[in-house]
Amino acid sequence: MKTIKDTATRKRTAPREVRRRQLIMAAMDSISKRGFSDTTLRHVTEKAELSHGVVNYHFDSKEALYDATLGFLAQEHYDMWTQYYDKAGPTAAEKLSAIICADFDKKTCTKKRLAVWFAFWGQAKYRPNYLKIHNKHDNERYERIIKICQEIIVDGDYDNLQADRLARTIESLTDGSWLCLMLYPDVADRVEYREDCLLTLAQFFPKHFPIDGPTHP
């Protein structure tokens, strides 16, 4: 029969990465509910069911925990879109569709994660380190979108289009959809916003979109 002492011992001896992830997930939970200003380490430790000393052992400060939390989100997003990209069909249009669809995956496009993302973005002006962490993971995606747009422009003879401007537009589409999902959850769901983004691509690239058949769940 397991005892309270056995459970406490198991928690203290859990692998370092397991413990760090536990604290990061607890921080995300609190930030999504309370925002930055009202989140305290006490909220995090209570949610994680850990002592304050455990937080100090894994993170030098509350800010270090926040950096790790944003890093976790950014890495998760990077892993998601690269997985979609790698599984997509061989054409540039299929690759671009995959990158957009990744932003609306049911595992990462959640109410909690969107709230945390926007909480960090709202603080980026005052904490430049957040922008560095975000860009470290996101710049590759942006450059990839530019390259794909260039390929589609050449393939479709879309001489009136510029790849870099299109890339900015595509980024704005998905970011704006995330904002609407957070502010107006009853207007449409993640699948509808995903389809809206793909439909917009058809306005720019009518020879390549829409892509026949399902793309991603």
Side-chain angles (χ1 to χ4, degrees):
M1 179 178 179
K2 295 180 180 179
T3 66
I4 295 177
K5 183 177 180 180
D6 292 333
T7 301
T9 300
R10 187 169 62 254
K11 285 185 176 182
R12 286 196 302 269
T13 58
R16 177 178 176 83
E17 287 308 311
V18 172
R19 184 63 64 247
R20 285 175 60 88
R21 182 185 174 92
Q22 192 174 350
L23 291 167
I24 287 170
M25 298 307 291
M28 287 176 55
D29 184 80
S30 183
I31 293 170
S32 69
K33 294 176 180 177
R34 303 178 180 88
F36 276 98
S37 59
D38 292 332
T39 290
T40 66
L41 286 180
R42 181 169 171 265
H43 292 134
V44 175
T45 56
E46 287 182 350
K47 178 64 179 179
E49 298 182 347
L50 297 169
S51 69
H52 192 87
V54 173
V55 180
N56 291 334
Y57 175 74
H58 291 284
F59 299 101
D60 295 335
S61 63
K62 179 180 176 181
E63 193 58 37
L65 172 59
Y66 282 172
D67 285 351
T69 301
L70 177 56
F72 173 85
L73 275 177
Q75 184 65 54
E76 182 181 63
H77 180 250
Y78 176 86
D79 291 341
M80 184 62 69
W81 78 257
T82 52
Q83 288 171 18
Y84 268 66
Y85 182 90
D86 291 340
K87 292 178 181 179
T91 69
E94 288 170 318
K95 296 293 187 183
L96 182 57
S97 176
I99 291 176
I100 289 177
C101 288
D103 278 351
F104 299 95
D105 186 273
K106 62 183 179 180
K107 295 179 181 178
T108 54
C109 187
T110 65
K111 183 177 180 180
K112 176 188 291 188
R113 279 169 167 73
L114 293 183
V116 178
W117 268 119
F118 280 98
F120 275 110
W121 287 341
Q123 294 292 314
K125 178 180 178 180
Y126 312 103
R127 294 180 170 90
N129 193 47
Y130 291 172
L131 195 58
K132 292 180 181 179
I133 294 171
H134 175 267
N135 290 345
K136 175 184 176 182
H137 294 80
D138 204 56
N139 283 348
E140 180 180 340
R141 178 179 180 273
Y142 180 67
E143 294 299 325
R144 190 78 59 91
I145 291 174
I146 291 178
K147 182 178 179 181
I148 293 172
C149 286
Q150 288 173 335
E151 292 179 20
I152 298 176
I153 288 171
V154 172
D155 184 66
D157 292 324
Y158 301 112
D159 296 333
N160 61 320
L161 299 179
Q162 298 176 19
D164 57 340
R165 298 186 69 178
L166 280 172
R168 291 197 299 271
T169 300
I170 290 169
E171 292 280 59
S172 299
L173 282 173
T174 53
D175 289 348
S177 295
W178 275 15
L179 181 61
C180 288
L181 277 168
M182 187 178 70
L183 296 179
Y184 315 110
D186 297 330
V187 173
D189 61 22
R190 63 177 182 85
V191 175
E192 291 174 299
Y193 277 111
R194 180 193 71 191
E195 296 307 308
D196 289 343
C197 291
L198 295 176
L199 180 62
T200 301
L201 290 183
Q203 310 306 310
F204 295 119
F205 304 125
K207 299 176 186 178
H208 295 78
F209 292 91
I211 297 175
D212 294 332
T215 50
H216 298 278

